[in-house]
């Protein structure tokens, strides 16, 4: 990824008077942050429907460019990467979401685009029951699916317990932060965060010097849900941040699961509510989760195509591409397979009928086996 593109995309995310939604729309329409900058003086010609207020806002790049330049210096010193929407390393599951950030800041070693990603969320006041559930769930998941990226928010309670259990089991785990990478909040989790940098990483949409404000945590939750195949709620009060993540995951078309708890227990009410309202599937173990997700084959050797003797040569080519990098969008598959979109859509439908793939939100396809 060229530094110029990173520079202008970072600046785009900081333009005064332009919301993140508008920044994403501009980026998606014009194709890059640099293209938005290059059309700052003739946006009305390129996008006739653009309001005057937006055209005027695009004239004011100086402060945003200075901030982007300063951040790039900070990133270079701290070993931090900026992932723009056009970057192959950008989480492709998140890219398909309608409110994806145009740029993310990441420090770590994990691949967001590996085959399986799950986020685990819940109350900041987890009980011994919740801790035991987490320990058993992640331990058994490791036996069933050795390669899974565990995502959470590094907060007190369920979040940090999920990260620590993942580390103990040898999983990579990523914490999504509600502030810049110049700090760790809460400070009590710094040691865990340092371990995660070697075995996972830290991810945020915020530049350095951004404080952990309440609204940032709510915004952070959409990234937790967006980078994942599924959300697992372990414990939650009747209201809580974990429920927000579950709601967003459902809006994105992702699978949502919850562990049930005893009736009347305050930190089981949220889980029981989701299960009662059919907005989360009930699970009691990692076995339930793996079966529901269709991840049973994760313990096997790489998918052997003889299991599907009726696949055509083109179908095999598409399945092999998804085996290399799962959950790809139609356009991505078209480019990588060199198969026209119209023909590829028919192939994917055939693969869906044969139980090999399933469609996800945003025109993304997931290899089942």
């Amino acid at each position: 990824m060229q530094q110029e593109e990173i520079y202008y995309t970072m600046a785009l995310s900081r333009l005064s008077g332009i919301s993140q939604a508008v920044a994403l729309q501009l980026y998606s329409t014009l194709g890059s942050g640099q293209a938005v900058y290059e059309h700052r003086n003739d946006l009305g010609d390129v996008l006739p429907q653009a309001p005057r207020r937006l055209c005027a806002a695009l004239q004011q790049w100086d402060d945003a460019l200075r901030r982007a330049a300063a951040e790039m210096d900070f990133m270079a010193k701290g070993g931090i990467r900026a992932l723009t929407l056009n970057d192959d390393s950008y989480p492709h599951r998140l890219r398909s979401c309608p409110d994806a950030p145009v740029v993310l800041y990441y420090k770590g070693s994990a691949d967001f685009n590996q085959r399986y990603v799950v986020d685990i969320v819940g109350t900041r006041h987890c009980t011994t029951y919740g801790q035991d559930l987490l320990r058993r769930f992640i331990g058994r998941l490791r036996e069933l699916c050795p390669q899974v990226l565990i995502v959470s928010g590094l907060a007190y309670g369920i979040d940090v317990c999920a990260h620590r259990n993942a580390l103990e089991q040898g999983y990579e785990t990523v914490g999504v932060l509600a502030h810049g990478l110049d700090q760790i909040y809460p400070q009590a989790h710094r040691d865990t965060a340092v371990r995660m940098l070697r075995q996972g990483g830290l991810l945020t949409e915020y530049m350095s010097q951004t404080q952990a404000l309440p609204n940032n945590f709510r915004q952070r939750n959409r990234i937790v849900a967006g980078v994942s195949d599924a959300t697992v709620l372990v414990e939650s009060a009747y209201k809580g941040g974990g429920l927000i993540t579950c709601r967003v995951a459902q809006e994105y078309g992702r699978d949502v699961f919850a562990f049930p708890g005893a009736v009347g227990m305050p930190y089981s009410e949220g889980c029981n509510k989701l299960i009662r309202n059919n907005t989360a599937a009930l699970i009691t173990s990692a076995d339930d989760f793996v079966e529901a997700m269709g991840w049973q084959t994760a313990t096997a050797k790489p998918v052997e195509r003889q299991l599907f003797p009726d696949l055509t040569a083109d179908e095999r080519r598409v399945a092999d591409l998804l085996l290399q990098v799962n959950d790809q969008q139609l356009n991505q598959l078209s480019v990588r397979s060199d198969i026209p979109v119209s023909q590829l859509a028919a192939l994917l439908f055939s693969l869906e009928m044969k139980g090999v793939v399933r469609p996800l939100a945003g025109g993304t396809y997931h290899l089942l086996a």
Side-chain angles (χ1 to χ4, degrees):
M1 179 61 63
Q2 295 183 349
Q3 291 300 299
E4 291 87 353
E5 170 58 16
I6 293 174
Y7 173 57
Y8 288 115
T9 303
M10 289 169 59
L12 172 62
S13 73
R14 297 286 301 194
L15 282 179
S16 178
I18 294 181
S19 68
Q20 289 298 302
V22 171
L24 177 59
Q25 183 180 15
L26 288 170
Y27 188 102
S28 301
T29 302
L30 297 179
S32 70
Q34 188 168 354
V36 176
Y37 177 76
E38 290 170 349
H39 288 289
R40 66 193 183 281
N41 294 321
D42 62 352
L43 185 66
D45 296 332
V46 179
L47 298 173
Q49 72 277 20
R52 290 183 180 179
R53 183 182 59 80
L54 176 58
C55 295
L58 280 183
Q59 303 297 308
Q60 310 299 323
W61 282 78
D62 291 351
D63 289 344
L65 290 172
R66 280 193 292 269
R67 184 67 178 89
E71 191 68 13
M72 291 185 78
D73 288 341
F74 168 75
M75 290 162 50
K77 295 174 183 176
I80 296 166
R81 297 172 58 197
L83 308 177
T84 68
L85 278 167
N86 284 342
D87 193 323
D88 288 341
S89 297
Y90 190 97
H92 63 75
R93 296 167 178 85
L94 180 63
R95 185 187 285 124
S96 67
C97 299
D99 51 359
V102 295
V103 62
L104 295 165
Y105 304 97
Y106 176 56
K107 185 172 183 177
S109 58
D111 175 11
F112 289 98
N113 296 322
Q114 57 186 277
R115 189 173 185 185
Y116 300 124
V117 183
V118 59
D119 67 85
I120 301 175
V121 296
T123 179
R124 297 186 178 213
H125 307 281
C126 66
T127 67
T128 301
Y129 169 71
Q131 294 173 21
D132 289 343
L133 282 179
L134 263 177
R135 184 170 54 253
R136 291 197 300 269
F137 176 77
I138 294 178
R140 178 58 175 158
L141 185 64
R142 177 68 168 168
E143 295 175 4
L144 297 171
C145 301
Q147 300 298 322
V148 178
L149 178 62
I150 306 293
V151 176
S152 197
L154 200 63
Y156 288 110
I158 293 298
D159 285 20
V160 74
C161 285
H163 292 308
R164 288 169 178 166
N165 277 280
L167 291 169
E168 290 171 6
Q169 290 297 329
Y171 272 142
E172 289 185 318
T173 181
V174 169
V176 183
L177 308 181
H179 50 75
L181 288 171
D182 56 333
Q183 59 181 300
I184 294 297
Y185 178 85
Q187 186 69 220
H189 298 166
R190 174 170 290 277
D191 289 347
T192 301
V194 170
R195 288 183 63 193
M196 291 166 63
L197 292 176
R198 300 190 297 267
Q199 193 177 318
L202 301 174
L203 180 73
T204 183
E205 66 178 311
Y206 299 107
M207 288 186 178
S208 61
Q209 302 178 42
T210 302
Q211 299 304 308
L213 302 175
N215 187 60
N216 292 0
F217 288 95
R218 290 187 285 272
Q219 289 290 100
R220 179 272 308 274
N221 291 342
R222 83 188 195 286
I223 298 178
V224 173
V227 300
S228 308
D229 296 306
T231 293
V232 175
L233 184 67
V234 177
E235 280 190 305
S236 174
Y238 197 77
K239 295 182 179 179
L243 296 179
I244 295 175
T245 306
C246 291
R247 175 181 57 77
V248 174
Q250 188 179 42
E251 291 172 354
Y252 288 162
R254 310 297 164 83
D255 293 286
V256 178
F257 301 89
F259 281 94
V263 174
M265 295 301 292
Y267 295 113
S268 294
E269 289 183 352
C271 294
N272 292 344
K273 178 178 69 172
L274 292 190
I275 294 168
R276 183 178 67 249
N277 295 340
N278 294 318
T279 50
L282 184 154
I283 56 172
T284 60
S285 65
D287 297 78
D288 293 346
F289 173 76
V290 169
E291 181 179 0
M293 291 298 295
W295 290 0
Q296 295 94 329
T297 57
T299 55
K301 294 178 180 179
V303 175
E304 300 187 25
R305 292 295 127 208
Q306 62 263 32
L307 294 176
F308 306 103
D310 58 338
L311 294 190
T312 66
D314 284 342
E315 288 171 345
R316 287 175 186 272
R317 184 164 23 141
V318 174
D320 286 337
L321 285 171
L322 287 170
L323 178 59
Q324 295 170 21
V325 178
N326 207 357
D327 298 342
Q328 297 188 50
Q329 291 181 307
L330 180 64
N331 290 336
Q332 292 175 307
L333 283 170
S334 178
V335 171
R336 291 169 180 168
S337 66
D338 198 27
I339 298 174
V341 170
S342 58
Q343 181 183 347
L344 181 60
L347 288 171
L348 287 165
F349 179 75
S350 177
L351 287 169
E352 183 183 353
M353 293 301 99
K354 293 176 180 179
V356 179
V357 305
R358 67 169 172 170
L360 302 177
T364 300
Y365 287 85
H366 176 80
L367 182 71
L368 291 173

